[in-house]
Amino acid sequence: MPAGGSSLFSGFRVLGLYSNHVPHALRYHLKHREFYVVTAVGRSFHTFNVNRLGIVAVSNSLPDDITCLAADRMLVFAATGRLISAFARNKEVVMHYNGHEQEVRLLLPLGDQLISADSGGDVIVWDVQSGEVYLRLHFDPATFDVSAMMHPSTYLNKVLLGSSQGALQLWNIKTSKLLFTFAGWSAGVTVLQQSPAVDVVGVGTATGRIIIHNIRLDETLMSFTQDWGPITSLSFRTDGPPTVASGSPQGHIAFWDLERRQLVTQHRHAHRTSIAGATFLQGEPILVTNGADNAIKVWIFDQEGGGARLLRIRQGHSAPPTTIHHHGNDGKNILSAGQDGTLQSFSTVHERFNKNLGHGSVNKKKEKKKKKGLTYEELRLPAITAFSSSVTRQSDWDGIVACHRDRLATTTWNYQRCTMGAHHLQPPGSRRGAIATAVNITSCGNFAVIGSSCGRVDVYNLQSGLHRGCYGDDEKAHNGVVRGIATDTLNQLTLTTGSDWLLKFWRFKSKKLEEEMKLNAAPASMKLHRESGMLALALDDFTLVVVDIETRRVVRKFAGHHSNINDMTFSPDGRWLVTVAMDCTIRTWDLPSGSLVDCFLVATAPVSVSLSPTGDFLATAHVDSLGLYLWTNKSLCGPVGLRPLPADYQPAVETLPGVTVEETEQEVNSEEEEEDVYQSAEQLGAELVTLSLLPESRWKSLLHLDEIKKRNKPVAPPAAPAAAPFFLPTVPGLTPRFATQTEHETQVTYAWDPLTSRLEYVLINTLSAVDQPLRLLKDCGPAALSVELNSLAPEGGGARELLLVFIQMIDSMLASGRDFDLAHAYLALFLKLHLRSLSQDATAMEALNHLSSRLEKGWAELQASFDQSLCLLSYTKSALL
């Protein structure tokens, strides 16, 4: 049976993705006066502001993973295989550059041109606007394999190319001529970087050498050597101190003093993996780095001796997460344990609430001795395989207990302090070779129950870390590996299951066995919903069993998965059971009806799942993916029709959600392109009236100008303004602005004929249009408006025809329903000034009678709308409802 996708969940966003092995690109926005860093994440790139490291833009996805990034003032360029794409506003693809035959690995924007180099030896110069090839150069990879590119400062149309053979070449891309060849230093060039000094560049080699070279004189000024392998990145400080930073494949950063020609300081393990990119901000003591460990870090140089400290960080897992659980009752934080050995907390609200609890260590006292010869690998604990958390007593003592790969001792963690706890929980007299396999913290937060591969189930006090007993005869609860542990809400029962196909019920306090249940297959995992007392077990035969812990009977059996069930979670009300398996399906089972109600496929197999305590988000972790994927629960947003799915149901593939921009952040646009702003319609409906946006002081006082002038009569004569240094024509009005050439010529016409006012001129030349005269009146203040209306009468230099034209203009304004307040204010002042002369003109009186009828009709419609609204409001406020 064909399917259309999930009817219950919809992709929302992904958490914890920040960077990969592609070097970042740095941009400066003149309008915002802010630096932005662009990092590649799979098939799209993210833009972060350096000030807060908040994500401000996410690009549209490309067909393949991004292999290279570059940016200029207007565009961001991304290479995917042989294709180069240009993005505007950090999001939309506006141009494709297709012409390479091999994978593009280098990009260099240079003015109106883009230079790209591929692994086959082709270097192409593109015209950015048209996308056409301006120049194509070909190099033999066996003799000159292009490995680095840069544009020397002040060298017009020049590009310096570095090769993996060690030689450098300086080219003029306009004339397509080779200007000079540098012999090199018998080592492959990995990085080329312009220094603050003209003609001087920094060269990084594959042997770890850093050469400061003058390309104009072909003279090496100085050189340094780092012992950590090839130079992966170079960057010069431009805020004063002559310092250059170099990155290494081990994740270390070295800082070299160019004056004293020595190493200033170093940061070991700045990143867990190779330093992909390191860039100093122009004119600031700030360094931005990124690496394949899924981290972006900002360092500030404010330490004594020229040292740097970590200022800001955005970091996710450097290896795929294996276990995730929601922490707390609000559903806003997700605890995640990854293969990198770290335990992290990701916030669904904002990235600034993320926490990194760090990497577990064997012993904190030994950790202090790491400077005496011990390495990080000797101190680090293996990856976490299972953990349990509780918020009940987390403010008093550790609230997280974790099991580690191939270790019997479990560790405690403190969520509030974001550190590993002081206790290593290990049973006394344990068997050699046994490891901890399952853990559970009681609902009171005082005890941790831990199961091991030798069949032991032990109880520990979390406050003291002391052992409080174990279950079973001969200190053995199961004849095999313990696969799952759970405790009920009141600490009355402890439930354990093992590879011996048994589910056992124990008294928590006396630790005596009450009952055991034989299962149809060995259980793989177990999950208890404490509020409803429903216990779900995933068996090795790919089936699910739900047991009621009160009656201790199997109440539901589910079959449908075609591979190992990795994880499962209950909905907050206990109605749904969501399971994930290696068959790449996410299935939702309805417990009351005992049927499958939702099923969909994902591209990669999910390894862990967690439904928030509020039921709004479903979080999943997947194979070979560093992020946590959030899915929204559609049933909270509207009615969802869930029906039992047939046995032959074929699920459809749902695309994994991507990153979304935080609501509090602002998208970055290019400097010459304005942000998209919603433009409201001038008139929402023909039956409605629209008021102007002018302040009340511009129209409410038109009938009281005489009193205002009398009150504001000046005491002293006005002083002559200071002479302007030069003449610039301006436009009269409340908003001062310079006149364009057309407006200046119009003003000259007015000055030539002093008997013609501006309003008279506009009314004569635009007899049928209303917008231009109205725009002129809006620019006038109350006093200037009175003068303009006075000039329409024959006594003021106008004509009777102009009075009729003004009446027709007011009639058109009332008919359109726009500027309703201005139409009445202008009409009131007009009648106050010219009613006596208009009463002697029959044509004018006929126009005024027509205008009066339109006014009465308009106010009648408004009165009916007001009455209807007041009636409805009174009805809703009555006591009958």
Side-chain angles (χ1 to χ4, degrees), residues 28-36 49 51-52 56 90 666-671 673-675:
Y28 181 73
H29 202 289
L30 287 176
K31 181 181 177 181
H32 297 166
R33 296 184 179 181
E34 193 172 6
F35 284 97
Y36 294 92
N49 50 25
N51 286 342
R52 298 175 300 276
V56 294
N90 298 287
Q666 178 184 4
E667 270 197 44
V668 183
N669 295 335
S670 56
E671 295 171 13
E673 296 186 18
E674 296 295 332
E675 299 180 3

Side-chain angles (χ1 to χ4, degrees), residues 624-698:
D624 295 334
S625 179
L626 301 180
L628 306 184
Y629 296 88
L630 294 184
W631 310 79
T632 56
N633 187 354
K634 296 180 183 179
S635 64
L636 298 182
C637 306
V640 176
L642 296 179
R643 299 177 180 177
L645 300 180
D648 59 346
Y649 181 78
Q650 298 295 327
V653 178
E654 285 278 352
T655 305
L656 291 177
V659 177
T660 59
V661 180
E662 302 291 347
E663 295 181 0
T664 57
E665 302 292 349
Q666 178 184 4
E667 270 197 44
V668 183
N669 295 335
S670 56
E671 295 171 13
E672 298 183 2
E673 296 186 18
E674 296 295 332
E675 299 180 3
D676 297 332
V677 180
Y678 172 73
Q679 296 291 340
S680 177
E682 294 184 356
Q683 187 74 6
L684 297 180
E687 72 282 358
L688 302 176
V689 295
T690 304
L691 303 180
S692 68
L693 298 178
L694 294 181
E696 292 185 353
S697 60
R698 298 279 292 275

Side-chain angles (χ1 to χ4, degrees), residues 104-125:
V104 179
R105 60 186 184 184
L106 293 173
L107 291 175
L108 177 63
L110 182 59
D112 296 332
Q113 296 170 332
L114 173 68
I115 307 173
S116 60
D118 61 21
S119 57
D122 286 336
V123 176
I124 301 179
V125 182

